[in-house]
Amino acid sequence: MKDNRLLEMRVFRAVAEAGGFTAAALTLGVSQPFVSQTLNALERRLGVQLLHRSTRTQRLTAEGEAYLAACRRVMEEIDLAESTVASPEPAGELRVTVPRAFGSDQIVPRLPGFMAAYPAISVQLQLSDTVTNLLEENFDVAIRMGRLQDSSLMSRRLCALQRIVVASPAYVARHGPPVTPQGLERHNCLMWLPPAEHLNRWPFMIQGQRQELAVKGSFRSSDGTALFQMCVAGMGVMRLAEHLAVPALRGGQLQPLLADYQAADDTAIHAVFLAERRLVPRIRAFVDHFTSAFATPPWAA
């Protein structure tokens, strides 16, 4: 008996993710009428409307959103089932999301080596400081900085994460350095927007006790690269991750502040992935490659 359910799922997912029938047809290598006929047949069989259609756009209905999530789960289970019996050679499309500054500075320069080692893997890279839902947004791996929030994900530690209070020499020449952490009240501090606003509370060791101080300033951003660039430009004081801070300190672009009060971070940089996908060869290859690359952090060498 002919069963077209997997084909229908694949076509529907392509329409939803590509944003339209024509784009889905190009992605799948089929005709636009085939895509339209398949989706119409799927909706008739299910007895629900999955897409709101207009002359210009298609938008998922509530039923369509739920069905898309189910389609992704089914496709992932198929991938996992095949990976247990297929060739162990890593292959296929790998979707990765990384914080913008760390990705540009540390991941992108190392991707050519990874892709040369695994030529059968194609990579889609998203650089974003937004915490992405791997399942809902169909990513294989995410790089996360700081404390992990989602206990349902598996993780591999890449390296420790330490932040340093810094400013440019030009800023210090204009405003002078803060002598104590409390002196930051008189300085312009570069700050994060939600959902990273917790980073606006800076920890210090004061009289042998760890204390957190809420800082203030006239510039906020959700983009770590923008905050770093503003700091180098002399616009304020920043508590900056070591992967950017150490090279800038060595190059004289920035200088350390309040070093005698620095508190050690108890956080790290991790690669995270869905537990049920841990055996997929391309995911394992990426995680192993970058775990090895950061075993000794490049900026600490």
Side-chain angles (χ1 to χ4, degrees), residues 190-272:
L190 302 172
M191 302 175 66
W192 288 87
L193 285 171
E197 71 273 21
H198 62 281
L199 296 177
N200 298 330
R201 296 188 62 84
W202 295 3
F204 294 99
M205 295 301 296
I206 302 173
Q207 296 181 345
Q209 300 292 321
R210 184 184 178 93
Q211 297 183 30
E212 290 188 350
L213 300 180
V215 298
K216 297 180 181 179
S218 62
F219 182 80
R220 296 172 180 251
S221 178
S222 60
D223 187 328
T225 300
L227 290 166
F228 170 63
Q229 290 173 343
M230 291 289 281
C231 188
V232 171
M235 296 305 296
V237 180
M238 183 178 182
R239 189 165 182 266
L240 181 63
E242 275 187 328
H243 73 92
L244 291 173
V246 171
L249 292 172
R250 289 172 179 164
Q253 295 171 289
L254 298 174
Q255 65 183 70
L257 302 175
L258 301 171
D260 291 342
Y261 296 90
Q262 180 168 306
D265 283 326
D266 58 353
T267 58
I269 302 172
H270 293 87
V272 302

Side-chain angles (χ1 to χ4, degrees), residues 110-124 289-290:
R110 291 168 176 78
L111 276 178
F114 170 74
M115 297 181 74
Y118 300 100
I121 296 178
S122 62
V123 177
Q124 287 193 27
H289 182 90
F290 282 93

